[in-house]
Amino acid sequence: MDIDTLIDAVIDREGGYTDHPADRGGATRYGITQRVARAEGYHGPMRHLPRAVAESIYRRLYWTRPRLDRIAERAPALAAELFDTGVNMGPSVAIGFLQRALNALDRDGTLLLPDGQVGPRTLAALDAFLAQRPTLGETVLTRACDALQGERYVALTEQRPLNKAFLYGWLANRIGSTD
């Protein structure tokens, strides 16, 4: 799956303009928060954020900068999961899930520091894991990251009951599928 398809799917899932009172992100359009839009140079009303601006932000901040393109070269379904998780929780959280999953599934004792960054050690650990598990390795890692994402949604709701307004949708739309 290419990044344009992933961005289209995220925008479809996120929808248009929202400003839910329980959402700490505040006003959003296409899933881009006002804070992110402002940091990226958009200063107009969030209700009118152009789709092209949202697409550019997604490509730069949630795909290229966190180096998910490097993950996609090795494991495209995993990269799609990490992209979707990163959009919703932040790229470093998504990559941290990958690093934790690689550590948990490691068979040779080499552990990663879950720093939320795709660097040479993370890529080497991913390569080693996929070489050890060529048939279902990508699927298992993707499921592990998805499971960690689901657990975090439940924990966020336990910590902040106002998130109950979002939990059902998060689980329905974010867990189990990125298409």
Side-chain angles (χ1 to χ4, degrees):
M1 196 176 285
D2 67 34
I3 184 57
D4 293 325
T5 302
L6 294 173
I7 290 170
D8 286 343
V10 162
I11 288 175
D12 288 347
R13 248 188 321 282
E14 291 289 344
Y17 176 79
T18 63
D19 193 6
H20 194 286
D23 187 350
R24 287 184 171 171
T28 68
R29 181 162 165 108
Y30 305 125
I32 302 295
T33 65
Q34 181 172 305
R35 181 187 59 75
V36 169
R38 298 293 184 255
E40 291 299 304
Y42 177 76
H43 297 289
M46 285 306 293
R47 188 176 301 278
H48 302 295
L49 177 79
R51 182 181 173 110
V53 171
E55 291 170 353
S56 176
I57 289 170
Y58 280 130
R59 184 173 284 102
R60 188 174 52 261
L61 295 186
Y62 298 92
W63 185 257
T64 306
R65 184 181 293 168
R67 303 181 75 205
L68 294 182
D69 53 333
R70 300 294 307 275
I71 301 291
E73 293 167 0
R74 296 155 166 84
L78 175 63
E81 169 62 27
L82 296 174
F83 174 73
D84 185 68
T85 302
V87 163
N88 200 245
M89 296 184 164
S92 64
V93 171
I95 295 162
F97 289 166
L98 170 63
Q99 292 166 326
R100 289 178 58 203
L102 285 167
N103 282 344
L105 293 163
D106 175 67
R107 295 170 72 192
D108 69 6
T110 305
L111 296 180
L112 296 168
L113 172 66
D115 63 1
Q117 305 295 312
V118 174
R121 289 184 50 128
T122 297
L123 293 173
L126 177 59
D127 289 340
F129 177 79
L130 294 173
Q132 290 171 355
R133 303 287 190 175
T135 305
L136 291 175
E138 180 178 7
T139 299
V140 169
L141 272 177
T142 302
R143 288 178 184 170
C145 291
D146 212 25
L148 290 166
Q149 180 182 9
E151 191 284 327
R152 183 168 169 129
Y153 287 136
V154 171
L156 288 171
T157 302
E158 290 170 340
Q159 294 164 7
R160 183 174 181 260
L162 286 175
N163 284 334
K164 286 182 180 184
F166 310 112
L167 181 61
Y168 184 89
W170 287 336
L171 295 174
N173 299 311
R174 297 288 182 171
I175 302 301
S177 177
T178 56
D179 48 273

